[in-house]
């Protein structure tokens, strides 16, 4: 990296004002600042895993190499390519401070992220690893709890008109009765994104394919259901329309590693689920019946709904529409009718 003296020298040699012209073109081309560079790309996605696929993969599409940026920008009118390569050292990545070398990602998260959120992620991750039951000692966790209580007061129960899908591993299914798809017995429930071990919830998805991906591709039997009861949903997929006052907070959580980090499903140690389980507890205590959240494994617009109110048995409160098998013959779906 350039020393301050070297940078000043380079600025003196600069015939125009490289930094100003660079940012002017970046702004007019992408309307956003640089989210990350090659150096900090992995770290950016570790903090904001949902940004990778969300919003029609806008983040991935924003990648541009500096040569293309030069050829497409008005900088060409002022600098030769050699001069561009020389003066680019004057621009450093706003995220990690390193000089830009090959690629940049001009991208802004599609909401106003909570200030200094990345340091909050670190604080919460430390507690999650060491003393998960003490999360409420953390001021930010407390803020999230209070927000969810307030959101609950403003949220009405509603009837879902679209079908939802619930998968079971085909090999463990005794029949295709609706009761087979209901809350599992406590004794077989391991820790999940929104539930503690031994405390059953119902994970449902927006479509069979998302169910199948959430089941990590094991052959599964999927029930298509219509919920017949009105339910109160904490909606983490469409936060602006559903919970406008807290939309930035909820979106920040959902895009971040706190709620959307991928967790491999082996073993008992699942620290990446601690904060989402905490949110599950907050929602449960605030009177929500379910949480709707984007799938980390399905495609664009796919979502999951987890029913956290254990009195909402699907045998009693929903209608079975269809049964579909997935993953048994080259991953094609077979409908039983
Ligand atoms: Zn960087």
């Amino acid at each position: 990296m350039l020393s301050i003296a070297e940078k000043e020298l380079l600025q003196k040699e600069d015939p125009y004002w490289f930094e100003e012209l660079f940012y002017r073109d970046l702004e007019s081309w992408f309307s956003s600042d640089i989210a990350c560079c090659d150096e900090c790309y992995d770290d950016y996605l570790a903090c904001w895993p949902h940004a990778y696929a969300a919003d029609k993969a806008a983040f991935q599409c924003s990648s541009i190499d500096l040569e293309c940026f030069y050829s497409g920008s008005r900088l060409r009118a002022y600098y030769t390519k050699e001069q561009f390569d020389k003066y680019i050292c004057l621009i450093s990545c706003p995220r990690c401070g390193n000089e830009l070398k090959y690629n940049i990602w001009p991208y802004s998260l599609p909401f106003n992220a909570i200030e200094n959120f990345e340091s909050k992620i670190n604080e919460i991750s430390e507690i999650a690893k060491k003393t998960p039951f003490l999360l409420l000692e953390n001021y930010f966790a407390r803020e999230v709890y209070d927000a969810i209580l307030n959101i609950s007061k403003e949220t009405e129960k509603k009837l879902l008109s679209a079908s939802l899908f619930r998968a079971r591993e085909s090999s463990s299914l005794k029949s295709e009765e609706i009761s087979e798809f209901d809350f599992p017995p406590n004794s077989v429930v391991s820790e999940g994104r929104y539930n503690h071990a031994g405390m059953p919830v119902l994970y449902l998805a927006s479509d069979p394919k998302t169910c199948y991906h959430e089941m990590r591709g094991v052959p599964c039997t999927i029930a298509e259901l219509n919920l017949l009861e009105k339910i109160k949903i904490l909606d983490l997929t469409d936060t602006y329309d559903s919970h406008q006052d807290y939309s930035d907070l909820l979106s920040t959580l959902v895009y971040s590693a706190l709620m959307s980090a991928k967790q491999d499903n082996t073993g008992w140690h699942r620290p990446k689920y601690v904060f989402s389980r905490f949110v599950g507890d907050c929602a449960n205590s605030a009177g929500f019946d379910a949480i709707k959240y984007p799938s980390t494994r399905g495609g664009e617009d796919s979502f999951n709904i987890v029913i956290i109110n254990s009195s909402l048995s699907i045998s009693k409160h929903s209608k079975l529409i269809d049964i579909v098998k997935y993953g048994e013959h080259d991953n094609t779906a077979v409908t039983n009718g």
Side-chain angles (χ1 to χ4, degrees):
M1 219 183 315
L2 293 182
S3 67
I4 294 174
E6 285 168 326
K7 196 172 173 182
E8 280 174 1
L9 200 65
L10 204 57
Q11 280 165 335
K12 271 187 195 148
E13 286 175 33
D14 182 359
Y16 304 100
W17 188 2
F18 188 86
E19 287 141 291
E20 175 69 17
L21 293 169
F22 180 92
Y23 280 113
R24 185 192 68 175
D25 276 14
L26 190 75
E27 174 62 32
S28 70
W29 198 345
F30 295 98
S31 316
S32 59
D33 201 355
I34 297 169
C36 61
C37 67
D38 298 290
E39 206 63 45
C40 62
Y41 173 88
D42 290 339
D43 183 59
Y44 180 81
L45 284 178
C47 286
W48 302 103
H50 187 52
Y52 185 73
D55 207 12
K56 298 194 168 52
F59 168 77
Q60 295 173 63
C61 299
S62 76
S63 156
I64 182 160
D65 75 66
L66 288 169
E67 273 188 39
C68 288
F69 181 72
Y70 171 73
S71 347
S73 75
R74 289 170 293 178
L75 284 159
R76 281 179 67 182
Y78 300 89
Y79 298 94
T80 64
K81 179 65 177 41
E82 288 68 34
Q83 285 174 316
F84 175 83
D85 290 343
K86 176 179 167 184
Y87 293 114
I88 193 70
C89 311
L90 291 170
I91 313 283
S92 50
C93 169
R95 178 183 175 79
C96 69
N98 282 300
E99 284 164 19
L100 303 181
K101 283 199 181 119
Y102 309 108
N103 302 287
I104 50 172
W105 281 261
Y107 168 79
S108 304
L109 292 163
F111 51 87
N112 295 315
I114 301 298
E115 227 173 296
N116 295 325
F117 190 69
E118 292 184 14
S119 64
K120 293 183 172 72
I121 295 181
N122 293 334
E123 284 171 30
I124 298 269
S125 303
E126 275 306 299
I127 301 175
K129 270 186 250 161
K130 284 188 193 156
T131 50
F133 288 171
L134 298 183
L135 261 184
L136 268 185
E137 293 279 306
N138 176 273
Y139 71 99
F140 178 68
R142 181 87 216 170
E143 261 176 46
V144 171
Y145 177 55
D146 291 341
I148 292 175
L149 288 178
N150 287 338
I151 295 168
S152 176
K153 286 179 202 147
E154 296 162 2
T155 307
E156 305 277 336
K157 286 189 179 232
K158 64 178 178 187
L159 198 61
L160 294 176
S161 51
S163 293
L164 291 170
F165 297 81
R166 160 97 175 137
R168 288 280 319 270
E169 219 171 288
S170 296
S171 59
S172 64
L173 216 59
K174 296 192 189 85
S175 75
E176 290 181 357
E177 298 289 310
I178 192 168
S179 56
E180 282 287 302
F181 295 88
D182 219 326
F183 287 94
N186 306 38
S187 55
V188 301
V189 175
S190 60
E191 189 172 294
R193 193 174 287 281
Y194 286 100
N195 72 283
H196 306 293
M199 294 175 70
V201 294
L202 277 181
Y203 289 97
L204 306 165
S206 53
D207 54 278
K209 214 170 177 177
T210 301
C211 277
Y212 179 60
H213 289 307
E214 293 285 351
M215 297 290 285
R216 318 293 199 265
V218 298
C220 57
T221 303
I222 298 171
E224 178 181 353
L225 305 158
N226 262 2
L227 285 185
L228 304 172
E229 290 279 318
K230 284 185 172 180
I231 57 171
K232 189 190 260 200
I233 302 175
L234 177 63
D235 188 346
L236 304 176
T237 60
D238 197 1
T239 58
Y240 189 78
D241 284 344
S242 307
H243 314 300
Q244 200 174 340
D245 291 348
Y246 292 93
S247 160
D248 286 335
L249 171 67
L250 296 177
S251 293
T252 304
L253 291 175
V254 168
Y255 271 69
S256 80
L258 288 184
M259 303 277 288
S260 293
K262 274 193 188 174
Q263 171 76 60
D264 70 41
N265 239 11
T266 51
W268 290 97
H269 182 57
R270 297 179 181 177
K272 289 179 176 152
Y273 284 168
V274 170
F275 196 78
S276 52
R277 282 165 47 214
F278 167 76
V279 169
D281 282 354
C282 294
N284 202 333
S285 147
F288 283 101
D289 298 309
I291 301 169
K292 182 177 174 188
Y293 60 101
S295 168
T296 57
R297 295 175 192 274
E300 176 73 20
D301 295 335
S302 63
F303 62 83
N304 296 113
I305 285 188
V306 54
I307 308 279
I308 54 176
N309 176 352
S310 56
S311 67
L312 278 171
S313 134
I314 49 173
S315 313
K316 291 187 193 139
H317 302 285
S318 67
K319 186 172 147 205
L320 180 64
I321 309 290
D322 197 4
I323 296 275
V324 170
K325 289 187 187 299
Y326 241 81
E328 283 168 12
H329 308 287
D330 300 317
N331 297 348
T332 45
V334 185
T335 303
N336 280 1

